[in-house]
Amino acid sequence: MDIKDKRISIPEPDFVTNLNEQQKIAVSETDGPLLVLSGAGTGKTKVLTTRLANLIYKRLAKTNEILAVTFTNKAALEMKQRVEKILNIPVEGMFIGTFHSIGVRFLRKHSDLINLKNDFTILDTSDQLRLLKQVISFLNLDEKRYVPKNFLYMIDQAKNLGLFPEDISNHEFEVKTDGKFSMIYKAYQERLKNFNSVDFGDLITLPVKLFKNYSDIRNLYQKKFKYILVDEYQDTNGAQYMLLRLLTGNKRNICCVGDEDQSIYGWRGAQLKNILNFDRDFADAKIIRLEQNYRSTGNILKTASSLISENEERIGKDLWTSDSNGEPVKILNLENDEAEALYIAREIRTLVNNKTNLSEIAILTRASFQFKDIEDRFLKEGIKYRVVGGLRFYERAEIKDALSYFRLLINKSDNLAFERIINIPKRGMGKVFIQRLYELSNKENISLFESLNRLIDSKNIKIQQLSKSTQFLQILNNHSKMLDRDDHSEVAGSLLEEVGYIEMLQADKTPEADGKLENLKKLVSDIKNRNSIYEFLEEVSLLTDILSNSDGLEKISLMTLHSAKGLEFNHVFLPGWEEGIFPNQRSLDENGNKGLEEERRLGYVGITRARKNLYISYVNFRKQYNYSIYRSIPSRFLSELPDKSCKILQISTKEKKEKQKLSSLVNTSFDIGDKVFHEHFGKGLVLGTSENQLQIRFENDDKIIKIFSDYVKKL
């Protein structure tokens, strides 16, 4: 008898037998390339950790012979802890971490081969920016034309693609910069090397170069890693893809877990094709679909599946659940953005009254500028919230800058506001100059604004500073006078334009810039709904005071759809499903159908965050930057949702009793949608209520005017 026949077959451990059938296959298929298509809520993390534990349990590999790649350090730590809990033993020596952390390990060990010392430093974004400024100055280029921040973005994008300076002679970045990109990129890399430094992009591209140039090193790691596991494979960029291909040896025991329907980071370099082409890259690859969902109700899953089925670039899967259909998805049509925020607050009050914890509720928007109305409503109502993955509206730098300009407009003695914006945009008035102003201010007991006036009068100031200072003061003084005769919202918008703040953001080509502009548009348009900029600033001060005094852990989560990936909540609100907002118009303009499909995937991610209740809302009218109201068009995505699992609601705006309960701040005599009459302006429609004031669009001239409720009659 062959001795092999006497070997005992080790039974499957409990942590494997407790899985569903598809999960078992994903864990047990250990030979050759494997793609696990894991739909939302199907137990992706459980499969990954169990597969890792199974490899160690069955002694198919030692811990240091496994490479596990995650997208966050938190995910890496959780994976290690879960494996240790499953096996009930410490797991040491495993290569587990993010692409960047693993890249660092490669570079530290082989730094000499890439002209680095192993004590190299890793530059953060601010250091990179400073270095680029030095490079652009050294090359005698105009910083205003060749903006360092823009080149930082382009270099990052090039590295995402695995491109070095010598690789981009025909790249679009080279065309856009009149052939200067490769020169700046090359000089930047040379300085990095001279400083014995790398940036985050180098942590991937340099290991790629290392393994391409040194086959012995590449073979060493191919033999070392018997198994490779990759999480969130749909989010890998070009350089990360190259690194994985180089590390996959002849055994090709690579298991990638991901969901093509949740690929939403194309704007930062993620390549959907990496997951779509997996079976082409590995001809004998197995594909396992995880489709049983353990998170959401049947109606939520049907809604998500219906939406994403419209995409062409996908492999495909059908999510299902053994649980009930649950509540239908509510599709809500409201009059305007204020009504939308009010409805959300009202529903939250109802949920809380039914013993729902605030932490079980999330509001997910396409863009952060949509937070404004919701935050204002929450602050007025005393509803505690947190902004996940970003700052709350009034905490954002561009909002603080704009408010400082507005404060200085009405109060020239506001030194804090003056100091914040005197050199934003750059006017050549740095710390030394401001120190001169402070010295004069303290000596003469005058404001910084007056100190600047005195310096200008004395001519004891550099020519450039004299010109910029004079222009700055003229703009402020002119706009202060405009407040006496012009619409205050128009004055505020004009001020930001003339001081160069809007131009500064328009020149910034980074992805964040558009969001900042939208936030400012939202801020300025809101002044239109107040009697004056004075009233507006007073209200903002009260709101931010509430904000600063808000504490406690139990809060609603307010975040963008991008920030929501990987999270789940019992109750989810998706406001602003209108054309231009969602799908985002810029995404459509720049990327066409690819952009549309990524927008649709964002919608899919948003829908599948919900466990029990889902609310999708759109409005008839929204405020815009030109201080008017525009008619909204419902999102095309709404027509792609199934009738059977959704319930369309035209929300009545005349539910007085419910609204009165919500807050004493909401007008008790008039509601949004009421028709009214004014002796001078004639007939009008109520578009908003705030305390004892109404926002009314009158038929005579179609203007929106804010009027005390005592001066109008309900029709």
Side-chain angles (χ1 to χ4, degrees):
M1 182 181 292
D2 195 319
I3 194 167
K4 291 182 181 179
D5 296 336
K6 297 181 179 179
R7 290 180 178 174
I8 297 173
S9 177
I10 301 173
E12 293 287 358
D14 290 343
F15 59 78
V16 174
T17 57
N18 292 333
L19 303 173
N20 69 39
E21 287 307 308
Q22 293 303 108
Q23 289 175 335
K24 285 179 186 176
I25 297 171
V27 167
S28 303
E29 288 283 349
T30 56
D31 294 330
L34 176 68
L35 176 63
V36 181
L37 290 176
S38 180
T42 57
K44 168 181 71 75
T45 304
K46 187 176 185 179
V47 166
L48 263 175
T49 53
T50 307
R51 181 180 175 87
L52 194 50
N54 196 47
L55 291 173
I56 298 169
Y57 177 82
K58 290 186 173 179
R59 295 180 174 80
L60 295 173
K62 299 175 183 176
T63 53
N64 64 356
E65 294 173 334
I66 300 172
L67 172 65
V69 188
T70 63
F71 264 79
T72 66
N73 290 313
K74 182 184 177 185
L77 179 61
E78 287 179 354
M79 186 181 291
K80 183 175 180 294
Q81 290 172 340
R82 290 192 185 195
V83 171
E84 289 180 336
K85 187 177 180 180
I86 291 171
L87 297 175
N88 200 27
I89 57 170
V91 179
E92 303 297 338
M94 189 162 42
F95 269 69
I96 182 168
T98 64
F99 277 101
H100 293 105
S101 66
I102 289 166
V104 170
R105 294 177 70 170
F106 292 145
L107 296 183
R108 294 282 187 211
K109 189 160 183 164
H110 307 287
S111 56
D112 57 316
L113 298 176
I114 49 173
N115 298 316
L116 286 172
K117 299 175 183 175
N118 70 355
D119 60 349
F120 61 81
T121 55
I122 304 168
L123 301 190
D124 60 18
T125 302
S126 61
D127 289 333
Q128 289 176 259
L129 197 57
R130 283 198 298 129
L131 184 57
L132 268 171
K133 288 179 179 179
Q134 293 174 16
V135 168
I136 290 168
S137 175
F138 174 76
L139 295 172
N140 294 317
L141 297 173
D142 183 0
E143 193 174 302
K144 290 182 179 178
R145 183 176 180 184
Y146 302 100
V147 182
K149 208 171 180 181
N150 296 348
F151 277 88
L152 180 60
Y153 170 73
M154 288 188 286
I155 288 172
D156 185 53
Q157 289 295 91
K159 290 183 177 183
N160 285 341
L161 294 168
L163 300 176
F164 290 92
E166 60 270 20
D167 302 323
I168 55 166
S169 56
N170 296 317
H171 196 274
E172 62 175 309
F173 291 156
E174 193 76 345
V175 178
K176 287 181 180 178
T177 59
D178 302 321
K180 297 293 190 299
F181 177 60
S182 58
M183 181 175 68
I184 292 172
Y185 186 6
K186 183 179 179 183
Y188 170 78
Q189 289 299 116
E190 287 174 350
R191 290 216 169 199
L192 279 175
K193 186 174 70 174
N194 292 338
F195 295 165
N196 193 38
S197 300
V198 298
D199 61 20
F200 277 95
D202 289 331
L203 299 179
I204 311 298
T205 56
L206 289 179
V208 168
K209 181 177 271 190
L210 172 71
F211 295 141
K212 279 185 175 180
N213 293 344
Y214 297 94
S215 59
D216 56 332
I217 304 296
R218 181 177 70 247
N219 293 335
L220 174 72
Y221 285 103
Q222 287 180 350
K223 290 177 182 177
K224 176 180 177 62
F225 298 131
K226 292 183 178 179
Y227 292 93
I228 298 175
L229 284 77
V230 187
D231 192 14
E232 304 288 4
Y233 188 60
Q234 77 281 346
D235 294 333
T236 52
N237 60 36
Q240 291 162 344
Y241 167 82
M242 292 177 196
L243 184 61
L244 290 171
R245 291 301 306 271
L246 288 165
L247 287 171
T248 305
N250 294 328
K251 290 184 178 180
R252 301 188 306 154
N253 289 334
I254 182 170
C255 172
C256 295
V257 181
D259 183 3
E260 82 279 22
D261 293 332
Q262 296 187 69
S263 179
I264 58 174
Y265 298 119
W267 52 275
R268 70 181 189 193
Q271 295 185 161
L272 180 62
K273 67 179 183 180
N274 293 350
I275 192 169
L276 295 180
N277 295 341
F278 188 87
D279 57 346
R280 297 181 196 174
D281 295 333
F282 303 98
D284 56 343
K286 300 182 182 72
I287 299 178
I288 305 295
R289 289 171 171 82
L290 304 183
E291 297 174 314
Q292 185 174 359
N293 179 282
Y294 296 94
R295 175 188 300 162
S296 307
T297 64
N299 280 329
I300 291 171
L301 293 181
K302 290 171 188 174
T303 303
S305 296
S306 179
L307 177 67
I308 201 63
S309 67
E310 297 292 327
N311 272 7
E312 294 178 1
E313 286 197 300
R314 63 191 297 258
I315 303 171
K317 54 196 159 309
D318 295 311
L319 298 185
W320 62 276
T321 179
S322 59
D323 291 338
S324 66
N325 282 331
E327 291 290 314
V329 174
K330 296 178 180 65
I331 311 296
L332 311 163
N333 177 217
L334 298 125
E335 184 65 11
N336 57 23
D337 22 21
E338 280 193 355
E340 185 177 53
L342 184 61
Y343 180 84
I344 291 171
R346 182 181 67 184
E347 283 299 305
I348 287 169
R349 288 293 190 203
T350 302
L351 290 169
V352 171
N353 290 337
N354 291 328
K355 309 301 180 184
T356 298
N357 293 326
L358 291 179
S359 60
E360 297 172 7
I361 304 170
I363 297 138
L364 314 179
T365 65
R366 176 58 181 86
S368 59
F369 75 85
Q370 296 173 254
F371 296 168
K372 172 71 170 56
D373 288 310
I374 297 168
E375 286 193 61
D376 284 354
R377 175 53 54 188
F378 283 2
L379 290 169
K380 287 176 180 177
E381 299 295 339
I383 298 173
K384 293 182 178 180
Y385 71 96
R386 63 189 181 113
V387 175
V388 179
L391 296 170
R392 289 186 271 200
F393 189 83
Y394 294 109
E395 293 172 340
R396 297 185 179 104
E398 68 275 13
I399 299 301
K400 286 186 172 183
D401 290 343
L403 291 174
S404 292
Y405 270 112
F406 301 161
R407 284 162 50 192
L408 200 60
L409 191 63
I410 65 174
N411 178 16
K412 304 299 189 297
S413 298
D414 192 332
N415 282 354
L416 290 175
F418 182 95
E419 186 178 359
R420 180 176 181 93
I421 52 83
I422 183 59
N423 206 37
I424 303 175
K426 299 285 186 189
R427 301 186 179 95
M429 304 177 199
K431 291 180 180 179
V432 175
F433 185 82
I434 293 170
Q435 185 60 37
R436 282 187 68 193
L437 294 179
Y438 262 115
E439 288 172 0
L440 183 58
S441 171
N442 294 331
K443 182 181 177 181
E444 302 291 335
N445 196 27
I446 55 178
S447 68
L448 294 178
F449 185 90
E450 183 56 31
S451 296
L452 184 57
N453 267 306
R454 297 267 184 102
L455 272 184
I456 291 171
D457 292 341
S458 71
K459 301 293 194 295
N460 185 20
I461 184 173
K462 293 178 181 177
I463 294 176
Q464 186 182 2
Q465 290 176 336
L466 178 63
S467 172
K468 294 282 188 181
S469 301
T470 304
Q471 184 187 29
F472 173 71
L473 292 182
Q474 284 176 345
I475 292 171
L476 276 174
N477 287 328
N478 289 341
H479 281 77
S480 292
K481 294 174 183 176
M482 288 165 63
L483 290 175
D484 295 331
R485 62 178 190 271
D486 295 336
D487 183 287
H488 284 196
S489 58
E490 293 180 9
V491 175
S494 173
L495 177 63
L496 295 179
E497 290 275 2
E498 290 200 24
V499 296
Y501 199 95
I502 300 299
E503 185 182 358
M504 177 186 75
L505 291 181
Q506 288 172 338
D508 183 357
K509 301 303 181 184
T510 60
E512 296 81 17
D514 278 349
K516 292 177 181 179
L517 282 167
E518 290 298 330
N519 289 336
L520 290 178
K521 291 175 183 179
K522 187 68 177 171
L523 185 75
V524 172
S525 68
D526 240 32
I527 300 173
K528 187 73 176 180
N529 302 317
R530 308 296 184 276
N531 285 327
S532 68
I533 198 168
Y534 308 98
E535 180 187 299
F536 173 75
L537 288 172
E538 182 179 312
E539 186 174 321
V540 169
S541 296
L542 292 172
L543 289 176
T544 51
D545 182 61
I546 295 169
L547 189 64
S548 64
N549 291 313
S550 178
D551 55 12
L553 297 175
E554 193 62 32
K555 296 177 181 179
I556 291 168
S557 293
L558 184 58
M559 69 189 85
T560 64
L561 288 163
H562 285 101
S563 300
K565 191 167 173 292
L567 304 176
E568 55 187 69
F569 304 89
N570 283 344
H571 314 280
V572 172
F573 294 84
L574 302 177
W577 278 46
E578 299 134 37
E579 289 293 304
I581 295 178
F582 190 56
N584 177 268
Q585 191 60 47
R586 183 184 176 187
S587 182
L588 301 184
D589 292 342
E590 292 184 354
N591 301 299
N593 193 59
K594 284 186 177 294
L596 175 62
E597 293 212 348
E598 182 153 320
E599 292 290 299
R600 192 176 279 114
R601 290 194 291 272
L602 262 179
Y604 174 83
V605 166
I607 292 169
T608 55
R609 297 313 92 194
R611 296 192 191 101
K612 296 179 180 179
N613 286 304
L614 178 66
Y615 307 79
I616 300 173
S617 58
Y618 67 101
V619 303
N620 299 327
F621 300 95
R622 277 206 189 269
K623 293 190 287 288
Q624 59 184 11
Y625 188 35
N626 62 1
Y627 326 114
S628 63
I629 302 290
Y630 72 93
R631 180 83 193 192
S632 301
I633 301 172
S635 171
R636 69 191 74 186
F637 295 154
L638 293 170
S639 65
E640 298 170 359
L641 306 183
D643 290 336
K644 290 183 179 180
S645 60
C646 298
K647 185 177 181 181
I648 301 174
L649 301 174
Q650 291 269 346
I651 302 300
S652 171
T653 57
K654 298 186 179 182
E655 298 166 324
K656 295 177 187 173
K657 290 183 179 180
E658 289 187 66
K659 288 190 177 181
Q660 288 169 9
K661 289 179 184 177
L662 185 62
S663 171
S664 61
L665 295 172
V666 180
N667 188 278
T668 57
S669 301
F670 295 86
D671 294 292
I672 296 169
D674 283 343
K675 293 180 179 179
V676 296
F677 178 80
H678 187 274
E679 288 186 359
H680 177 71
F681 297 108
K683 293 180 180 179
L685 182 71
V686 177
L687 298 180
T689 62
S690 177
E691 299 182 298
N692 63 336
Q693 294 181 350
L694 306 173
Q695 295 167 46
I696 303 171
R697 185 177 70 242
F698 289 97
E699 293 178 358
N700 290 341
D701 56 6
D702 207 37
K703 283 186 178 179
I704 297 172
I705 300 174
K706 194 164 186 177
I707 292 179
F708 285 100
S709 59
D710 296 342
Y711 293 96
V712 297
K713 294 179 181 179
K714 188 184 297 184
L715 296 176

